[in-house]
């Protein structure tokens, strides 16, 4: 395999709009305001995240352009996460959920977003209630319309209806929220709408706004609170109206959408939020893989074989580099699946919205779960050094939990997606088998499609076998194979994205590298199901015997190119150098300026 151009791999990972979409954020988060990596108290870390959000806001030329361009919005999350997970989450809330919702409602009579740019009031989003997590459609907060006064009475009727986890404290300055509440008009519940609600000023919460801090959570600190309302009066224009529902001049209500679906319209930006959460996970995970692979090349250990003298880098051992190359292949595939989902959502039509939304949900669950697994591996491969917060890996790992839960817990959204796949989409049809060779990308793709077909068939059969008339019991009978179906579908799409990217790389060496990554990625996922594939006639006994051999050969061929493949992530040195482990061992040398430790002991 000859030399390949790193820029070609970068283009394969980030797409044709790298310079336009990614490069501005890449430069911003490598700049001076984001280089500080001091160990601060949780409150000071929160303040720093809000200060950094203001630096982000100063760089935004047009808020409208940002919130309407999902590629730019997700790129912001990808490049922010390696620097500050807290800032990343605040940006997602402010730009996507808050400003994005303002932008999307009533497009023919747009609300001005200029009041929030420059960022003098931070926007937040209050939907989930303490007693209604995944059942948010059942929320209890009410906004009763008074036609005589032309205003709303926003009220939290009981403690369980308090808004759960929004960033509503005094830290970060004055805040305004979009509050999801049941619109009551003339005594009728018209469904859930959003209401623009000022929460605080420089002196603290406004009258009727009740804020209680929640306990500190794992990961980068954010000012999560319980928030309630005691008959807060809101003006008529606080209601975010659109075709899903509006109040007419005579005070009556009119809406073109069924009442329950008004909730889905109101929180429509949650779909973009899923893409933002996936991007957040990917940004931190790519940084972690880059750090772990660099460290493995610079951290030496004594030779483990009898008679071996001196020391060798950790990366020299197959037991070490095979795990990191597995992680690398997964991150490439996950990044490219994310690009697929983003492009599909950006290009959606009214007819295609449902399938595009389902793809986003499936990709979010798979990507964020895969990223957590990769982060665990990277942390372990860095030994004791991976435990120090200053080295970033522990923060990336704990921070990975929030995207798994935010914008919909992964498990419930996958259950919903599996239902759509089984009830609304035809089962996949495996293509004719190409040359049955485990080094043939077309055959590996064929096996991934066959695996998806197997789980689709099993899930449908489980539904058909269950004679219980109770819908929940019938669904429970099919749940496990249905979830396996979603996983098989997601990983097949990720493998397809990797193959498509390889086809677009202009040089043969780059194509070979991406095909090797695809081989490692696919064989790892086929191996646990080789028995099922053999039983269905898609693999022979000889294939099953060859699987570990072909995988090991692919790992051996990839190993010399590991640093090149992480260089293609294009992470600026200014970002990586925030973490001492990325400059091991000289950063820890006692003579190195700014070294955080004066003495090291143990086996880091």
């Amino acid at each position: 395999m000859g030399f390949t151009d790193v820029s070609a791999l970068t283009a394969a990972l980030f797409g044709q709009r790298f310079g336009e979409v990614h490069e501005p954020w890449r430069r911003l988060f490598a700049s001076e305001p984001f280089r500080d990596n001091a160990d601060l108290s949780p409150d000071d870390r929160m303040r720093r995240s809000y200060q950094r959000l203001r630096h982000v806001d100063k760089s935004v030329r047009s808020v409208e352009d940002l919130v309407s361009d999902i590629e730019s919005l997700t790129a912001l999350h990808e490049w922010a996460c390696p620097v500050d997970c807290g800032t990343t989450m605040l940006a997602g809330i402010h730009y996507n959920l808050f400003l994005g919702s303002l932008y999307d409602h009533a497009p023919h009579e747009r609300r001005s977003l200029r009041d929030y740019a420059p960022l003098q009031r931070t926007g937040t989003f209050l939907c989930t209630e303490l007693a209604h997590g995944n059942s948010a459609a059942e929320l209890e907060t009410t906004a009763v319309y008074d036609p005589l006064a032309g205003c709303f009475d926003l009220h939290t009727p009981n403690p369980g209806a308090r808004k759960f986890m929004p960033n509503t404290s005094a830290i970060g300055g004055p805040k305004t929220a979009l509050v999801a509440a049941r619109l009551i008009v003339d005594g009728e519940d018209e469904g859930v709408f959003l209401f623009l609600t000022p929460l605080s000023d420089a002196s603290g919460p406004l009258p009727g706004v009740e804020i209680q801090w929640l306990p500190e959570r794992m990961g980068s600190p954010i000012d999560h609170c319980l928030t309630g309302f005691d008959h807060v009066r809101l003006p008529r224009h606080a209601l975010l109206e659109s075709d899903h529902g509006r109040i007419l001049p005579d005070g009556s209500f009119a809406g073109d959408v069924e009442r329950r679906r008004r909730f889905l319209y109101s929180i429509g930006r949650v779909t973009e939020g899923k893409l933002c959460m996936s991007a957040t996970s990917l940004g931190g995970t790519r940084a972690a893989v880059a750090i772990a692979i660099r460290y493995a090349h610079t951290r030496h250990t004594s030779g483990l074989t009898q008679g071996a003298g001196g020391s060798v880098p950790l990366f020299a051992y197959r037991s070490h580099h095979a795990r990191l190359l597995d992680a690398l292949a997964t991150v490439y595939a996950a990044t490219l699946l994310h690009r697929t989902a983003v492009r599909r959502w950006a290009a959606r039509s009214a007819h295609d919205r449902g399938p595009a939304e389902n793809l986003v949900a499936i990709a979010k669950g798979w990507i964020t779960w895969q990223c957590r697994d990769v982060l665990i591996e990277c942390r372990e491969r860095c030994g004791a050094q991976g435990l120090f917060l200053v080295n970033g890996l522990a923060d990336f790992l704990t921070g990975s939990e929030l995207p798994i839960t935010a914008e919909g817990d992964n498990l419930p959204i996958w259950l919903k997606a599996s239902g759509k796949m089984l009830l609304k989409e035809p089962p996949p049809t495996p293509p004719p088998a190409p040359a049955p060779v485990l080094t043939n990308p077309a055959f590996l793709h064929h096996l991934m499609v066959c695996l998806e077909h197997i789980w689709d068939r099993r899930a449908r059969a489980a539904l058909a076998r269950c004679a219980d008339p109770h819908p929940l019991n019938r669904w429970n009978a099919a749940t496990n194979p249905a979830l396996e179906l979603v996983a098989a579908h997601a990983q097949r799409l990720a493998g397809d994205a990797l193959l498509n990217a390889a086809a677009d790389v202009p040089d043969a060496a780059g194509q070979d590298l991406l095909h090797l990554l695809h081989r490692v990625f696919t064989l790892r996922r086929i191996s646990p199901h080789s028995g099922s594939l053999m039983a269905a006639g898609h693999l022979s006994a000889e294939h099953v015997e060859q699987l570990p051999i072909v995988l090991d050969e692919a790992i051996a061929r990839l190993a010399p190119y590991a640093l090149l493949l992480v260089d293609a992530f294009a992470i600026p040195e200014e970002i990586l150098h925030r973490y001492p482990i990325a400059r091991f061992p000289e950063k820890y040398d006692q003579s190195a300026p700014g070294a955080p430790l004066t003495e090291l002991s143990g086996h880091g």
Side-chain angles (χ1 to χ4, degrees), residues 46 50 89-90 93 97 123-133 159-169 175 199 210-228 401-403 405-407 409:
M46 287 184 229
Y50 277 104
M89 293 300 168
L90 295 176
I93 296 166
L97 293 176
T124 185
F125 194 82
L126 279 63
C127 180
T128 304
E129 294 178 352
L130 183 60
H132 302 287
R162 288 175 294 173
K163 298 300 181 179
F164 179 66
M165 283 189 73
N167 54 313
T168 53
S169 81
K175 293 173 183 169
L199 297 178
E210 302 169 346
I211 296 172
Q212 175 187 335
W213 276 86
L214 285 167
E216 184 178 354
R217 65 159 176 81
M218 64 192 299
S220 295
I222 297 177
D223 53 322
H224 294 301
C225 300
L226 286 173
T227 307
E401 297 294 340
L402 193 58
T405 299
E407 317 299 19
D409 286 321

Side-chain angles (χ1 to χ4, degrees), residues 82-233:
V83 173
D84 188 337
C85 294
T87 299
T88 312
M89 293 300 168
L90 295 176
I93 296 166
H94 177 74
Y95 290 111
N96 179 57
L97 293 176
F98 180 75
L99 293 178
S101 295
L102 284 175
Y103 181 84
D104 285 353
H105 280 72
H108 54 283
E109 47 189 56
R110 294 265 188 225
R111 290 175 184 260
S112 172
L113 303 185
R114 294 179 182 176
D115 292 344
Y116 305 96
L119 203 159
Q120 296 179 346
R121 298 185 67 84
T122 304
T124 185
F125 194 82
L126 279 63
C127 180
T128 304
E129 294 178 352
L130 183 60
H132 302 287
N134 291 315
S135 59
E138 308 301 323
L139 59 81
E140 299 177 83
T141 303
T142 57
V144 179
Y145 183 57
D146 181 346
L148 297 179
C151 65
F152 300 95
D153 181 279
L154 182 67
H155 185 59
T156 303
N158 59 68
R162 288 175 294 173
K163 298 300 181 179
F164 179 66
M165 283 189 73
N167 54 313
T168 53
S169 81
I171 291 179
K175 293 173 183 169
T176 298
L178 287 176
V179 180
R182 295 194 169 281
L183 172 61
I184 309 298
V185 180
D186 196 23
E188 291 292 324
D189 178 356
E190 300 295 353
V192 175
F193 287 75
L194 296 179
F195 295 82
L196 186 63
T197 308
L199 297 178
S200 57
D201 57 21
S203 301
L206 295 175
V209 179
E210 302 169 346
I211 296 172
Q212 175 187 335
W213 276 86
L214 285 167
E216 184 178 354
R217 65 159 176 81
M218 64 192 299
S220 295
I222 297 177
D223 53 322
H224 294 301
C225 300
L226 286 173
T227 307
F229 304 95
D230 184 14
H231 296 289
V232 173
R233 304 290 277 182

Side-chain angles (χ1 to χ4, degrees), residues 135-351:
S135 59
E138 308 301 323
L139 59 81
E140 299 177 83
T141 303
T142 57
V144 179
Y145 183 57
D146 181 346
L148 297 179
C151 65
F152 300 95
D153 181 279
L154 182 67
H155 185 59
T156 303
N158 59 68
R162 288 175 294 173
K163 298 300 181 179
F164 179 66
M165 283 189 73
N167 54 313
T168 53
S169 81
I171 291 179
K175 293 173 183 169
T176 298
L178 287 176
V179 180
R182 295 194 169 281
L183 172 61
I184 309 298
V185 180
D186 196 23
E188 291 292 324
D189 178 356
E190 300 295 353
V192 175
F193 287 75
L194 296 179
F195 295 82
L196 186 63
T197 308
L199 297 178
S200 57
D201 57 21
S203 301
L206 295 175
V209 179
E210 302 169 346
I211 296 172
Q212 175 187 335
W213 276 86
L214 285 167
E216 184 178 354
R217 65 159 176 81
M218 64 192 299
S220 295
I222 297 177
D223 53 322
H224 294 301
C225 300
L226 286 173
T227 307
F229 304 95
D230 184 14
H231 296 289
V232 173
R233 304 290 277 182
L234 296 175
R236 168 68 182 79
H237 61 77
L239 172 65
L240 268 60
E241 299 176 304
S242 193
D243 292 340
H244 68 307
R246 62 180 68 250
I247 293 178
L248 302 177
D250 64 1
S252 63
F253 176 86
D256 297 334
V257 177
E258 184 266 326
R259 187 175 71 88
R260 184 175 175 82
R261 294 191 61 81
R262 291 169 194 157
F263 169 73
L264 299 177
Y265 189 101
S266 294
I267 64 164
R269 288 300 289 205
V270 167
T271 300
E272 282 86 351
K274 288 180 172 65
L275 292 169
C276 291
M277 291 300 97
S278 302
T280 298
S281 290
L282 286 167
T285 304
R286 284 199 301 268
V289 171
I291 288 169
I293 287 179
R294 280 187 170 201
Y295 179 65
H297 280 83
T298 57
R299 174 69 164 93
H300 282 63
T301 187
S302 58
L304 299 182
T305 56
Q306 187 175 5
S311 64
V312 295
L314 288 171
F315 198 81
Y317 289 98
R318 184 66 50 82
S319 58
H320 197 93
H321 68 237
R323 294 168 180 265
L324 290 178
L325 290 170
D326 279 347
L328 187 62
T330 298
V331 168
Y332 264 76
T335 297
L336 292 165
L337 174 59
H338 186 256
R339 305 282 176 248
T340 301
V342 167
R343 287 193 297 268
R344 176 81 177 272
W345 184 249
R348 71 194 182 280
S349 63
H351 175 73

Side-chain angles (χ1 to χ4, degrees), residues 59-80:
S59 74
V60 176
R61 293 183 179 180
S62 167
V63 173
E64 289 83 1
D65 287 348
L66 175 60
V67 302
S68 61
D69 184 348
I70 188 58
E71 288 189 67
S72 293
L73 190 60
T74 53
L76 161 60
H77 290 71
E78 285 186 60
W79 294 102

